[in-house]
Amino acid sequence: MANILAVGIATLDIINSVAAYPAEDDEVRAIDQRVCRGGNATNTLTVLSQLGHRGHWAGVMVEEPDGRHIEADLERHRIDRSAVLRLAQGKVPTSYITHNLANGSRTIIHYRDLPEYPFAEFKKLALGRFHWLHFEGRNVAETRQMLAWAAAQAPGVTRSLEIEKERDGIDALFPLADVLLFSRPFARGRGHDEALSLLRALHPRYPAATLVCAWGAAGAWALDRHGEHHSPAFAPPRPVDTLGAGDTFNAGLIDALLQRQDLGTALAQACRLAGRKCGYQGLDFINQGAQK
C-alpha cells in the first residue's frame, strides 16, 4: 500500500444519457440522469483507493452544496483531504456531460468559478511521506514550481504528469516529471496521427523520462530508456461508459509501476483496467469483476 498525492481538480458531473447524440438545435429526452463527482486527479485517486492505496488530494474546495456532495464521495473512497485549500466563496467546477448510449461516447461542457491550487499551499506539504506524486498538466506556472520543489525536496519520490490538452507553456513542465502521460487529443494537436510518433519525437529531449500515450481502441504505447512498448486495448463485451477511462488507465499504470513491474507489463495492466472500466457505469467497478 502506497501513499499517493494527486494535485488537480474535483468536479461535479451532471450526466445525461441519451439514445443517440443530438444534432444542433434538437430537443431530446434523457433516458437517465446521474450526478456524481469527477475530475481527473480525484478519479485516478478513486481507482487507486480501490486498488489498496492511500489517496491524498491537493486541490481547491468551496463551502457550498455541490462542494459537500464532492466531499462526501471523496470521504466514501477514503481519500485524505488535509492538503485541500478551502475557500468561503466561489463555485465548484461543474461538468455537464452528454453520454451517448449508442457508442458510449461523452461530450462535456465545463464551468468553473474557482482558482487553481497554488504553489504556496503545495510548499507546506511534507512530500517525503508520499510514494508517488501525480499532477494534472494545468495551471502551468504554479505546477512548474510544484514539480521543481518536489524534485528538490523529495528527489526519491516519482513524479507523474498527465498532459490531457495543449496549454500555453506546458512544455516547460516536461523535464520536471519522471512519467509523462499524454492523451490522443494532445498528440493530434501536435500533428501526430499515432502515439509512437509523438513519443519518438519527444524522447531525445527527455531521455530519462518514461513517455506514455494511450490511443483508445488501438491500445497504448510507451517509450523509455529500455525501448518501445505497446499493449492492445481490452474492450468490454459491451461498452457502457467511457467517462473516466483515461483516469483509470493512469491509475492502473501508477499501481503497476509502484509494484515495480516492467513498463510493458504495467502498460498492459493499465489498458486492461481501463477496458474493464468501460464495461461499467462509474468508477466503483473494481469489486465487480475487474482484476489488478
Side-chain angles (χ1 to χ4, degrees):
M1 181 184 292
N3 281 315
I4 301 168
L5 175 72
V7 182
I9 66 171
T11 68
L12 185 75
D13 289 349
I14 301 172
I15 306 165
N16 289 304
S17 297
V18 296
Y21 192 78
E24 186 174 357
D25 211 30
D26 272 359
E27 180 177 337
V28 300
R29 185 180 296 275
I31 295 172
D32 179 61
Q33 183 182 85
R34 58 190 174 101
V35 179
C36 61
R37 182 214 40 80
N40 293 12
T42 50
N43 280 349
T44 294
L45 288 177
T46 293
V47 177
L48 285 166
S49 174
Q50 293 173 72
L51 293 171
H53 300 289
R54 294 183 293 265
H56 303 253
W57 175 49
V60 182
M61 185 52 62
V62 64
E63 179 57 33
E64 52 119 339
D66 289 343
R68 289 192 287 274
H69 183 99
I70 291 170
E71 293 254 23
D73 187 74
L74 295 174
E75 176 66 25
R76 184 169 64 86
H77 288 98
R78 304 179 304 281
I79 294 172
D80 183 278
R81 303 178 304 286
S82 58
V84 168
L85 172 63
R86 300 183 181 279
L87 302 179
Q89 294 182 328
K91 180 71 181 73
V92 297
T94 305
S95 293
Y96 302 89
I97 301 167
T98 301
H99 174 211
N100 181 357
L101 293 175
N103 60 11
S105 71
R106 78 287 186 280
T107 303
I108 304 172
I109 297 174
H110 187 69
Y111 173 78
R112 64 177 294 139
D113 182 20
L114 209 61
E116 299 275 6
Y117 193 72
F119 171 62
E121 289 296 313
F122 182 81
K123 193 175 180 181
K124 299 175 184 178
L125 305 179
L127 300 180
R129 65 191 179 104
F130 299 111
H131 301 96
W132 193 286
L133 303 174
H134 179 64
F135 298 83
E136 289 185 33
R138 53 190 306 120
N139 189 22
V140 172
E142 298 283 306
T143 302
R144 187 174 187 275
Q145 293 183 76
M146 294 182 209
L147 283 163
W149 178 260
Q153 299 298 313
V157 180
T158 301
R159 303 176 301 282
S160 59
L161 176 70
E162 177 195 21
I163 305 100
E164 185 180 43
K165 61 184 68 174
E166 190 70 69
R167 297 180 189 273
D168 289 343
I170 197 167
D171 292 65
L173 306 181
F174 299 171
L176 299 169
D178 303 301
V179 180
L180 295 165
L181 303 161
F182 297 99
S183 72
R184 178 168 52 181
F186 178 85
R188 285 179 167 165
R190 290 285 175 107
H192 299 276
D193 291 328
E194 55 183 28
L196 202 51
S197 172
L198 172 73
L199 303 186
R200 286 172 174 169
L202 291 174
H203 180 63
R205 295 167 58 189
Y206 316 107
T210 296
L211 311 179
V212 182
C213 185
W215 208 266
W221 279 261
L223 198 160
D224 64 3
R225 67 184 69 190
H226 302 296
E228 299 173 356
H229 311 268
H230 173 252
S231 171
F234 295 85
R238 183 176 71 89
V240 173
D241 178 20
T242 63
L243 187 65
D247 307 324
T248 300
F249 173 89
N250 292 344
L253 190 78
I254 291 170
D255 174 63
L257 293 177
L258 279 167
Q259 296 180 58
R260 301 189 182 281
Q261 294 182 15
D262 64 84
L263 184 55
T265 302
L267 201 65
Q269 171 173 303
C271 286
R272 187 174 292 108
L273 198 67
R276 285 186 177 273
K277 180 267 159 294
C278 292
Y280 294 92
Q281 187 176 84
L283 294 173
D284 291 320
F285 69 98
I286 299 296
N287 295 323
Q288 300 184 52
Q291 299 295 322
K292 288 172 65 173

